[in-house]
């Protein structure tokens, strides 16, 4: 009996080792829609265009806004998993881009508050559900969280195996007075991401977009 159990254990181990890891990617782009940051949305469109040109069949992509309360499906602008057929995938990409362009055209004023944590939670749910081999959260924001009264976000975020990239982290007026505020925002978010099991990068120069997600 003991030999049988050992043999079974070895067989199961070999089976688990033989299963290939998924190679597809899932990307969730969070875009800040608060205050004057809405003036930066044309840059978010450029980021999305780069992603759509880079992602392949089987990959997933979603775009959602960061507003006053972002832990909700209603904040998702568009989402898609690209079809295995290249022609269908290209049609999906065009439709996705149109949805993003239509959304940006409708934004007239920024939201009153900025729930970045809620957006991150929604992003991790989506990414984990895709079962992708590589998962990314791209945060297009100045990283200044301004919560509506009563919203509780002071807790850890589980980001195990997720790559978090902060994009276009613009400086606020107060940062010019005291640059330590800008550095503190970056350090605080890096700490939250790393403590949650993710890794953290900042890309402010769009000439470096080619480093955004790893090539296959």
């Amino acid at each position: 009996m003991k030999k049988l159990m050992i043999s079974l254990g070895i067989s199961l181990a070999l089976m688990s080792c033989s299963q290939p890891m998924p190679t597809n990617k899932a990307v969730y782009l969070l875009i800040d829609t608060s205050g004057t940051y809405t003036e930066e949305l044309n840059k978010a469109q450029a980021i999305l265009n780069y992603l759509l040109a880079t992602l392949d069949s089987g990959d997933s992509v979603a775009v959602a806004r960061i507003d006053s309360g972002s832990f909700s499906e209603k904040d998702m602008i568009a989402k898609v998993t690209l079809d295995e057929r290249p022609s269908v995938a290209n049609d999906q990409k065009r439709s996705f881009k149109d949805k993003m362009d239509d959304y940006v055209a409708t934004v007239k004023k920024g939201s009153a508050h900025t729930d970045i944590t809620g957006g991150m939670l929604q992003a991790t749910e989506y990414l984990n559900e895709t079962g992708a081999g590589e998962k990314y959260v791209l945060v297009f924001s100045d990283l200044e969280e301004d919560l509506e009264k009563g919203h509780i976000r002071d807790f850890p975020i589980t980001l195990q195996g997720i790559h978090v990239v902060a994009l276009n982290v613009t400086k606020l007026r107060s940062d010019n007075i005291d640059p330590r505020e800008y550095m503190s925002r970056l350090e605080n978010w890096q700490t939250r991401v790393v403590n949650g099991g993710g890794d953290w990068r900042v890309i402010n120069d769009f000439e470096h977009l080619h480093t955004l997600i790893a090539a296959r």
Side-chain angles (χ1 to χ4, degrees), residues 82-139:
L82 298 174
D83 196 273
E84 295 296 333
R85 294 164 293 179
S87 60
V88 177
N90 286 334
D91 288 342
Q92 290 173 311
K93 289 180 179 183
R94 280 191 289 270
S95 175
F96 198 102
K97 181 183 183 303
D98 289 344
K99 288 178 182 177
M100 178 67 169
D101 291 345
D102 290 345
Y103 170 75
V104 171
T106 64
V107 177
K108 303 302 180 186
K109 64 176 183 177
S111 61
H113 300 279
T114 315
D115 179 17
I116 300 173
T117 302
M120 294 278 279
L121 290 169
Q122 187 71 20
T124 57
E125 280 196 351
Y126 170 83
L127 292 173
N128 288 330
E129 285 174 4
T130 66
E134 293 180 25
K135 300 184 282 287
Y136 297 83
V137 178
L138 312 181
V139 188

Side-chain angles (χ1 to χ4, degrees), residues 28 30-35 64-75 111-123 137 139-155 157 189 192:
Y28 197 101
L30 279 168
I31 56 174
D32 197 331
T33 60
S34 64
R65 64 185 178 179
I66 301 170
D67 66 0
S68 297
S70 302
F71 186 50
S72 171
E73 283 275 346
K74 69 178 178 60
D75 292 304
S111 61
H113 300 279
T114 315
D115 179 17
I116 300 173
T117 302
M120 294 278 279
L121 290 169
Q122 187 71 20
V137 178
V139 188
F140 183 79
S141 171
D142 58 21
L143 298 182
E144 176 72 10
E145 185 159 66
D146 174 24
L147 297 173
E148 193 169 356
K149 186 176 180 180
H151 284 205
I152 299 170
R153 298 291 187 265
D154 186 17
F155 49 78
I157 309 172
W189 276 105
R192 289 189 76 184

Side-chain angles (χ1 to χ4, degrees), residues 4-86:
L4 177 62
M5 292 300 293
I6 292 171
S7 178
L8 265 172
I10 293 171
S11 298
L12 288 171
L14 288 171
M15 286 174 64
S16 64
C17 290
S18 65
Q19 292 177 351
M21 291 292 292
T23 59
N24 60 322
K25 299 179 175 70
V27 183
Y28 197 101
L29 173 60
L30 279 168
I31 56 174
D32 197 331
T33 60
S34 64
T36 58
Y37 202 81
T38 54
E39 298 170 8
E40 304 287 323
L41 289 180
N42 63 313
K43 296 179 183 177
Q45 287 173 292
I47 292 168
L48 179 63
N49 290 342
Y50 170 81
L51 288 174
L52 292 176
T54 305
L55 296 174
D56 295 323
S57 295
D59 293 337
S60 301
V61 60
V63 177
R65 64 185 178 179
I66 301 170
D67 66 0
S68 297
S70 302
F71 186 50
S72 171
E73 283 275 346
K74 69 178 178 60
D75 292 304
M76 196 172 288
I77 298 163
K79 62 179 178 178
V80 71
T81 296
L82 298 174
D83 196 273
E84 295 296 333
R85 294 164 293 179

Side-chain angles (χ1 to χ4, degrees), residues 136-140 163-167 199-203 212:
Y136 297 83
V137 178
L138 312 181
V139 188
F140 183 79
H163 308 284
V164 180
V165 186
L167 298 162
D199 62 60
W200 169 264
R201 284 186 295 148
V202 178
I203 298 178
L212 196 55

